[in-house]
Amino acid sequence: MRIKPWAAVAAAVPLAAGCVSAPPAAASALPSASAAPAVSRASVVPPVVPAGTTAAWVVFDRRAGGTGRIVATRNAHRAFRSASVVKILLAIDYLESRRSVAPADARLLKIMLRSSDDDAASTLWDRAGKGAVITRQARRLGLSDTAPPPASKPGFWGYTSLSAYDVVRVYRYLLDRAAPRVRDTILGHLRAATPCGSDGFDQYFGIPRAVPRPWAVKQGWSGFGSVPPVRCAASPASPTTHAPSASAVTLGGPDPAAAQGASAVARDASTSAGPLRARGSGVPDLGRPVLHTTGLAGKDDRYVLAVLTAHPAGGTWISSVRRVTRLTADLYRGLR
C-alpha cells in the first residue's frame, strides 16, 4: 500500500496503548496510553478542517508494519463528550459481566448498537451503576482520556469524556482481546447499523457515506435538538446495502440528533444554549454541537477509525454532517 506523505509521517507512530496481545485482564496488563503520539514536523498535508470546527482523528492500519500502527492522527488525546459512542463501553461492560443474555436484554443491545436507541442505553447505564461503568472500563482497557460524566450529571451518559485515541483502543480491544461472544455480538450489530436511528434521524454520515463497504460503525451526535430537520425515510429495522455515492459524500444529509442523556431527561436540547454552559461543567465542549463517526473499514477490518468533531455553537445539523462526511472522505482517500 502506498501511503501519502501526511500518512507516512504518522505511520512512524506506534499505537502503544493499542498493542494488545495478552489475555483479557486488569488494566495493569495493558500498556499505558498516557503519552500523546509524537508526530514529526516534516511536511504533512492532512485533510483540511473547516473554520470553526474542532477535529480529532486516529486511523490505525492493522496491516502496517506487520503488527499494525497509526497511519493518520490529529489531536489524538483531545477530550470530547462522547455522545452515543459510549454505548460500545456499555455493551462491553454488560456482556463481560455475565455468562448469558436474557432475550429482553439482547433486544436492548441490538437497538442500542444498531439504531443508537437512547432509552436502551439509559436502561443499561442505570443497571451498571451509571458512571461506575466508565470507571471500570477505563481501568480495564487502559483508557487514559476516558472519564465518567460529572457527579452533578450522573444520568447523562453522553457526557462521558473520551478521545479518538481511546476510541481506537476500544475497537482494538474488541478485535484482539475480547472473548469471541463479546466481539461477535458487538461488532455484528455495528456491521448491521441501520440507516436510521430509532428517533428518526439518518445516521449514515461520516464513514457510512464516505467509505465503501465493508464497514462497522458507531456514530455519536449531541447538541442539535431532538427533532430531525428531515425525518429518515428508511425503517430503523431494515439495514441498507447501498454503497456510498459521490453525491452522498458531498452533500451529507440529516442525521440522528441530540440524544445523549438518560432518556428524555438527559436529551441535549439544553446544550445548544451557548458555550458559557461549558465553563466549570467538566463536560467537553458543552454548548457546542458534537458529531462523531467511528468504526472499522476495509477487508478483514483493516482500518480502525475514529473521527471526533465539535462545531460552532448554533451550527446546523446538515452543515455539520457535510463537514464530517467530507473530512472522513478526505482522510480515507489519503490512506489509499
Side-chain angles (χ1 to χ4, degrees), residues 57-80:
W57 60 74
V58 171
V59 180
F60 187 86
D61 183 346
R62 299 174 68 218
R63 292 187 199 168
T67 58
R69 62 188 176 189
I70 289 178
V71 292
T73 181
R74 174 189 173 94
N75 294 332
H77 290 282
R78 202 267 193 191
F80 290 79

Side-chain angles (χ1 to χ4, degrees), residues 88-89 92 141 143 146 165-175 304:
I88 303 175
L89 292 178
I92 293 173
L141 275 62
L143 308 177
T146 299
Y165 192 88
D166 277 0
V167 172
V168 167
R169 185 169 173 81
V170 170
Y171 280 107
R172 294 214 62 216
Y173 173 81
L174 287 170
L175 288 166
V304 184

